[in-house]
Amino acid sequence: MSTPRNTADDILRCARTLVVAGGYNGFSYADIAAVVGIRKASIHHHFPGKVDLVRALVVQYRDEAEAGLAALARHHPEPLDQLRAYIGFWEGCIGDGSLSFCVCALLACEIPVLPPEVAQEVTAYFRRLSAWLAAVMDQGAAGGTMVLAAPPRVAAESFMATVHGAMLSARACGDPAIFGMITRPLIDRLGAV
């Protein structure tokens, strides 16, 4: 039995695709209405304004990321394997085109012009991701399976910046393989015990 379609979910899915393609200002409700096959008034019913829509999208994205990070911990007990799986997730998404760029990384580029409600949610995403990475790295270093060149928080920020920069390079060059070329050495350096 199939699940009935939910208009709000369809709107959010479409908005995610449009944000990844062109950022916050790269789409309008008219664009969503055309893709989803509804009237703009229907979008306003679910999300009164664009700020409401993109804020809801980022909250949903953060919730999905939280669930994904928890799944990594469950399926990969070793810290280094969690980081490999994290990079592997993005490498797969970029390679098959299912999610070619982190929604929050793209929106972070626009923070100076984003509405404060959206910017706050994007910042919260990065704080949470950084905290998770730092905890994984701290655990790996304490267990002797990782070598950190800096304290865990600094190493986490560097790791996160490199992963997001690799997304940018892969996109700019139109070559998904660049992502792995940049990120694989991160794991090699961390695992050099």
Side-chain angles (χ1 to χ4, degrees):
M1 180 174 209
S2 65
T3 310
R5 286 178 42 149
N6 179 316
T7 303
D9 289 340
D10 290 345
I11 293 166
L12 285 167
R13 259 190 304 281
C14 182
R16 179 182 294 204
T17 300
L18 293 170
V19 164
V20 169
Y24 183 85
N25 291 313
F27 73 96
S28 68
Y29 274 22
D31 298 320
I32 294 172
V35 172
V36 176
I38 58 176
R39 295 179 316 117
K40 288 191 299 185
S42 296
I43 301 169
H44 285 288
H45 170 74
H46 294 283
F47 305 100
K50 191 172 187 178
V51 170
D52 305 302
L53 171 59
V54 178
R55 183 182 173 282
L57 170 63
V58 174
V59 168
Q60 179 187 61
Y61 189 80
R62 275 187 24 229
D63 290 346
E64 290 170 6
E66 286 283 332
L69 297 177
L72 289 179
R74 282 192 310 277
H75 297 296
H76 305 281
E78 292 299 319
L80 197 56
D81 291 338
Q82 289 177 40
L83 297 180
R84 273 191 194 101
Y86 174 76
I87 286 175
F89 167 79
W90 281 113
E91 191 166 15
C93 290
I94 292 165
D96 69 16
S98 59
L99 186 59
S100 63
F101 212 86
C102 169
V103 170
C104 288
L106 187 72
L107 289 171
C109 295
E110 299 180 281
I111 285 226
V113 296
L114 286 178
E117 303 90 335
V118 175
Q120 181 179 20
E121 296 298 339
V122 171
T123 299
Y125 168 85
F126 279 99
R127 284 190 180 130
R128 177 60 188 114
L129 178 58
S130 178
W132 177 79
L133 288 168
V136 169
M137 290 178 175
D138 189 40
Q139 182 185 7
T145 59
M146 275 189 219
V147 174
L148 303 181
R153 183 166 187 273
V154 175
E157 292 291 335
S158 178
F159 186 93
M160 187 170 58
T162 302
V163 168
H164 290 109
M167 289 176 194
L168 184 61
S169 293
R171 179 180 259 199
C173 296
D175 183 359
I178 288 175
F179 179 83
M181 185 174 64
I182 294 169
T183 57
R184 271 186 232 107
L186 281 173
I187 298 298
D188 295 340
R189 283 191 300 274
L190 287 169
V193 288

